[in-house]
Amino acid sequence: MRLTQGLRPDLQTAISAVLDRRLSRTSAAPVCVAFSGGGDSLALLIAADSWARSVGRDLLVLHVDHGLQADAADWARRCADVARRLDRRFVRRAWCGPKPPRGLPAAARAARHRLIAEAARTAGARVVLMGHTADDLAEAAAMRAAGSSTPDPKVWAPSPVWPAGRDVFLLRPMLGLRRGELREALVEGGWSWIEDPANADLAYARSRARRQQPVPPADAAPRPDPSGLARQTREPWPGVLSLPRAALRRHPAADVFVGVAALCAGGGSRPPAPAARRRLAEALSGEGPVAATLAGARVAADAERVLFFREAGEAARGGLASQPLAPGVTEVWDGRFEIEAQATGLCVRRLAGVARRLPPAARTALQEVPQAARGALPVWAKAADPLAVSVDPALARATSLVLPRLQAACGLIDREPVAARTA
């Protein structure tokens, strides 16, 4: 690739305006760019590099090698060369292991997001820039019209992988720009990019949609916004979400919120089916008691409030498994809690079946938690004797991820947090 100059000023200004709105100008954390070497991500990298230099921030170039193309190793070398010429750090991650015979694009996308999130967390970054454009919005709409469930890419969203993507956000600052104008500007500037042959393979829905050259809608229909419901949600006990029931009634985003809250309280990574969340939201819009399960969570409502918490019976289906702990290492247990052990020879397990073995003071404190929510709480056990349990913070500490995950998913965090966390 021959690198001669930056992006065209009008495009640079448009992209920088989004970066200024969403990113901190003073954070010491690096900003990451997901760089495939294609035209869209190249335009993004050029613009992000210029913005980062203007505010004095570090930029990290992340490349994922899916191992699906014969030229993948050469593409990685070319991407590394771009980063080197920009004097930016380059990190390559490879998707290793067997590839599924069906659903390959979805599996590759999930692997890419996981590898990017892990690399960002390792670097202490909170935001990853991605090069989606207005054409990607149009293609997603065309795919849905053909029967796909592909969602629209959002300007700002938490990483879609869990728990690897916790604390990591995705920013797409080029959704208002067209792919063609970006590539015209690259040519004008003397840049060249990688063309992935998979983009022209009509075996894939994305390629078929791209071939139609769909036009982005002038004004996208507003999405139901669950942020107001998330602001009213509390976590009165670890892992238990509580919302006034009246807030859900007649709220336009009630079903969206119910699905997100159940997913966060259940600790899983697969959202519930839209039809299932709509049925539950409809039940919660009434006056009578509700008891249901959704996405690994139990949803219990009386006339005053709705509770979302982990379904302790999930253990029978493989959830809530015991997990060994290493001193000083933060582990995620059941997708809901970060656990950091201070002592050796411990594991974390669910409370169900061993509550009576806790010390009297711990049993007394436990009475404050709704009975149905207790069994899925974490306790420490001796790896050699899983029935010898404790909640002593001198042995290990648990930090709930449930409410922060809900707040991020519902848009309460809409710009880069200044304080960076490392893995």
Side-chain angles (χ1 to χ4, degrees):
M1 297 182 183
R2 184 168 63 91
L3 311 183
T4 59
Q5 63 184 52
L7 211 56
R8 204 170 67 203
D10 59 319
L11 300 177
Q12 177 69 54
T13 297
I15 297 170
S16 292
V18 180
L19 299 180
D20 279 330
R21 286 196 298 271
R22 299 287 185 170
L23 299 182
S24 166
R25 298 173 68 89
T26 59
S27 174
V31 175
C32 296
V33 177
F35 183 47
S36 68
D40 298 344
S41 65
L42 176 60
L44 174 62
L45 177 57
I46 297 167
D49 175 71
S50 177
W51 178 88
R53 292 184 190 281
S54 73
V55 299
R57 288 196 59 178
D58 188 19
L59 195 74
L60 182 64
V61 182
L62 304 181
H63 176 76
V64 174
D65 179 354
H66 295 89
L68 299 175
Q69 298 289 341
D71 294 329
D74 180 60
W75 293 353
R77 286 192 292 271
R78 293 174 65 181
C79 290
D81 184 58
V82 174
R84 183 168 55 254
R85 296 186 188 191
L86 292 173
D87 195 27
R88 296 297 190 180
R89 290 186 294 157
F90 178 78
V91 173
R92 172 186 173 274
R93 291 288 185 265
W95 183 26
C96 302
K99 308 300 188 287
R102 301 185 63 181
L104 183 60
R109 183 168 55 253
R112 177 169 63 253
H113 277 296
R114 175 179 57 80
L115 292 167
I116 285 173
E118 290 172 350
R121 283 182 59 80
T122 299
R126 299 294 297 273
V127 180
V128 177
L129 308 184
M130 307 198 81
H132 296 87
T133 67
D135 294 81
D136 290 286
L137 289 170
E139 290 160 11
M143 292 168 69
R144 288 195 298 274
S148 170
S149 59
T150 302
D152 285 334
K154 298 179 181 179
V155 173
W156 175 268
S159 169
V161 293
W162 187 264
R166 65 194 188 282
D167 298 337
V168 176
F169 293 86
L170 306 182
L171 174 58
R172 300 176 174 95
M174 303 196 306
L175 288 181
L177 302 175
R178 297 296 304 271
R179 181 178 295 135
E181 64 181 337
L182 289 167
R183 296 192 176 198
E184 287 176 3
L186 290 175
V187 171
E188 292 170 3
W191 302 77
S192 62
W193 59 87
I194 295 167
E195 290 287 1
D196 186 346
N199 291 333
D201 188 342
L202 298 184
Y204 300 127
R206 171 72 65 177
S207 300
R208 295 193 296 271
R210 182 169 296 189
R211 189 177 188 182
Q212 298 173 21
Q213 297 184 338
V215 178
D219 294 299
R223 298 185 179 94
D225 183 3
S227 61
L229 293 172
R231 287 190 182 93
Q232 300 180 64
T233 303
R234 302 292 182 265
E235 189 176 6
W237 307 282
V240 180
L241 299 176
S242 176
L243 175 73
R245 188 168 181 180
L248 276 177
R249 296 189 180 103
R250 295 180 296 279
H251 196 288
D255 72 305
V256 175
F257 175 83
V258 165
V260 174
L263 182 66
C264 296
S269 58
R270 179 178 296 180
R277 78 186 192 208
R278 284 194 292 267
R279 285 194 300 269
L280 181 52
E282 179 64 25
L284 292 170
S285 70
E287 301 290 340
V290 173
T293 58
L294 185 69
R298 181 177 294 189
V299 184
D302 58 21
E304 301 298 325
R305 67 179 180 180
V306 183
L307 299 180
F308 299 83
F309 52 88
R310 184 69 160 103
E311 173 56 72
E314 181 76 6
R317 296 184 291 273
L320 296 161
S322 297
Q323 183 175 326
L325 299 173
V329 177
T330 299
E331 303 279 1
V332 177
W333 178 72
D334 195 47
R336 298 179 297 135
F337 291 92
E338 283 187 336
I339 312 290
E340 184 172 0
Q342 313 298 325
T344 60
L346 296 180
C347 66
V348 57
R349 57 156 295 164
R350 65 175 183 147
L351 178 62
V354 294
R356 292 183 179 182
R357 294 178 175 269
L358 289 173
R363 293 202 304 270
T364 299
L366 194 63
Q367 298 305 309
E368 299 179 5
V369 182
Q371 185 174 4
R374 297 172 195 167
L377 291 175
V379 293
W380 340 131
K382 294 181 180 179
D385 182 7
L387 297 181
V389 295
S390 172
V391 291
D392 185 350
L395 299 178
R397 295 182 181 274
T399 303
S400 174
L401 300 170
V402 175
L403 184 59
R405 183 184 183 186
L406 176 82
Q407 293 170 336
C410 290
L412 297 192
I413 303 172
D414 61 3
R415 59 178 289 117
E416 179 184 22
V418 174
R421 286 182 61 182
T422 58

